Amino acid sequence: MALSATPIYMDYAATTPVDPRVAQEMARYLGLDGTFANPASRSHMLGWLAEQAVEGARRQVADLIHADPREIVWTSGATEADNLALIGFMRANRARGRHLITSSIEHKAILDTAASLEQEGFDVTLLAPDSNGRITPEQLRDALRPDTILVSLMAVNNEIGSRNDIDALGNIAHQHGAAFHVDAAQAAGKIPLDVGTQPIDMLSLSAHKVYGPKGIGALYVRRDTQITPLIHGGGHERGMRSGTLPTHQIVGMGTAFTLASAEQEQDNQRIARLRARLVARLEQLPGAHFTIEEGKGVANILSVGFDDVDGQTLLMEMRSLATATGSACNSADVAPSYVLGALGVPTRRALATLRLSLGRFSTEQDVDGAADVITATLARLRSTQAPA
Ligand SMILES: *Cc1c(COP(=O)(O)O)cnc(C)c1O
């Protein structure tokens, strides 16, 4: 076997490669012969052209979620969009209340932001998910208080692929007079989103989970939703987020989102077939547990844990498979992921849980190769390891 064999990439939920069609478009906005000018330069033609490109991309991103382009604010990614949504909204509306509701399996961009809001004097309630990673409408109804002004829940979980019922949850928040924010970083391009009909006031997006470049994202902010800016200087993005706009990144995100609009359905169908092929292999392995029930989550993320095997060794032995695990490594310390912990997955199995995530460029060979690697590694480890 060649030592330099490229690993099989099964970590699309961490990031996706840039689609070649996106990279090609981005390259036109960089050099002297391209549209490199500052889109805020109003005094010359080159600036106008860059501004036109930015506004075209704004419409492309808005179209995927059926928003008005004026409701799209460019950010550096979904992390910044989450920060702007939570901190910006809570600060702007503090006179109406100081309570925020979110869940214990949100991305760290939400959890760490909520923790910093607590430091600032706001109150935060974290809802616990059911065994399929969902927050129920009843739970949300019970947690709402007179001073609750914002509810933030993710559409699709990045670790286990679970889906929340955004419509039911948003309706409850709205009936109560609270605003509703959705982290849709893993949902855009995977499931239909329509802010025109869905009860969503703010929605976070990232380009690099959808075959666009890293370092660019957006926050959808519904008309009449008040947020205070986090970044000051120049008043770009109608005062909500200052800073020179990265034209090439923005054009990349726009192109990627247009491709997602056109291809999401066929991508999903192909990925669902690949997933079924992978599941058929993995479910035959002794001691395999799918973290959530099949059919409850998105097709592209598969979380599977294994009994009777040491998680750290399992990972070390699978270098030819690029995937994520149910552990969070902090130097020497290995702790199980907080998401699996919140679902009640036993620690030892959580440490031996893999997040296999598929994407636009995944192939049957990838799936078969991954199943082969996992099967062989488990067999080898179980024959040499003493049972716990
Ligand atoms: C990736 C991700 C983020 C962070 O997005 P960046 O653009 O990398 O900052 C936030 N939330 C979820 C659910 C994600 O999957």
Side-chain angles (χ1 to χ4, degrees):
M1 190 198 290
L3 269 174
S4 58
T6 359
I8 298 168
Y9 191 72
M10 228 170 248
D11 206 10
Y12 279 84
T15 195
T16 59
V18 173
D19 190 295
R21 295 166 288 182
V22 171
Q24 197 177 21
E25 192 61 21
M26 289 175 69
R28 298 177 47 220
Y29 294 85
L30 292 167
L32 183 60
D33 58 345
T35 310
F36 70 91
N38 191 326
S41 293
R42 293 271 153 75
S43 55
H44 53 72
M45 177 76 167
L46 293 174
W48 305 335
L49 287 175
E51 187 191 20
Q52 237 172 45
V54 165
E55 295 315 312
R58 198 187 299 277
R59 177 166 293 283
Q60 290 177 310
V61 169
D63 281 349
L64 182 73
I65 61 168
H66 303 277
D68 186 302
R70 288 168 296 186
E71 298 170 308
I72 299 295
V73 178
W74 300 115
T75 65
S76 60
T79 300
E80 187 190 327
D82 285 346
N83 273 263
L84 180 57
L86 267 54
I87 300 174
F89 186 89
M90 295 306 285
R91 285 185 184 163
N93 296 277
R94 69 198 318 160
R96 292 199 289 119
R98 49 178 45 232
H99 186 222
L100 161 70
I101 298 176
T102 181
S103 89
S104 58
I105 62 166
E106 297 295 309
H107 191 274
K108 286 286 185 187
I110 294 290
L111 292 177
D112 290 351
T113 302
S116 95
L117 283 167
E118 273 185 323
Q119 294 294 312
E120 225 178 282
F122 292 101
D123 271 358
V124 177
T125 297
L126 295 183
L127 301 176
D130 68 13
S131 61
N132 280 314
R134 298 165 70 105
I135 303 302
T136 66
E138 296 70 35
Q139 263 179 295
L140 176 58
R141 190 176 288 122
D142 291 347
L144 284 160
R145 310 192 318 211
D147 63 338
T148 308
I149 57 172
L150 179 62
V151 175
S152 174
L153 294 167
M154 67 204 319
V156 172
N157 181 275
N158 47 298
E159 239 182 272
I160 56 175
S162 58
R163 291 179 62 166
N164 273 321
D165 185 344
I166 291 304
D167 291 1
L169 295 163
N171 282 331
I172 289 172
H174 282 180
Q175 280 158 23
H176 192 80
F180 190 45
H181 167 253
V182 174
D183 180 339
Q186 294 287 347
K190 315 292 189 308
I191 63 173
L193 293 166
D194 184 350
V195 297
T197 58
Q198 293 185 286
I200 299 170
D201 302 294
M202 295 181 287
L203 184 106
S204 297
L205 298 166
S206 177
H208 76 94
K209 308 285 173 70
V210 200
Y211 313 99
K214 296 165 188 59
I216 183 73
L219 180 66
Y220 157 78
V221 184
R222 184 181 292 283
R223 260 181 307 281
D224 302 329
T225 305
Q226 298 303 316
I227 60 171
T228 54
L230 301 182
I231 297 178
H232 305 273
H236 307 72
E237 298 299 280
R238 292 182 299 134
M240 280 186 274
R241 204 279 196 174
S242 288
T244 301
L245 294 174
T247 314
H248 62 297
Q249 300 285 81
I250 287 171
V251 164
M253 182 166 179
T255 307
F257 272 50
T258 290
L259 291 174
S261 300
E263 297 177 9
Q264 112 179 352
E265 228 173 273
Q266 76 191 59
D267 276 353
N268 278 343
Q269 283 172 14
R270 222 175 45 78
I271 289 167
R273 282 197 297 275
L274 291 174
R275 179 201 183 88
R277 190 178 173 99
L278 184 58
V279 165
R281 287 283 305 275
L282 298 181
E283 68 188 359
Q284 293 181 19
L285 296 173
H289 297 266
F290 296 106
T291 304
I292 65 172
E293 268 172 76
E294 271 303 285
K296 298 275 182 192
V298 287
N300 59 304
I301 299 178
L302 177 62
S303 173
V304 58
F306 299 98
D307 287 335
D308 306 320
V309 68
D310 176 64
Q312 245 188 319
T313 322
L314 179 65
L315 288 174
M316 298 291 287
E317 295 288 315
M318 293 201 313
R319 283 169 210 270
S320 58
L321 179 60
T323 184
T325 63
S327 63
C329 309
N330 307 301
S331 59
D333 232 32
V334 181
S337 105
Y338 64 91
V339 174
L340 298 176
L343 258 64
V345 176
T347 302
R348 190 171 150 85
R349 189 199 301 154
L351 291 172
T353 292
L354 305 175
R355 175 189 69 184
L356 303 162
S357 48
L358 302 162
R360 184 175 289 162
F361 308 110
S362 298
T363 62
E364 287 188 355
Q365 290 91 303
D366 289 342
V367 164
D368 294 349
D372 289 345
V373 169
I374 295 169
T375 305
T377 309
L378 280 174
R380 191 168 68 244
L381 292 183
R382 282 179 176 149
S383 69
T384 56
Q385 261 178 214

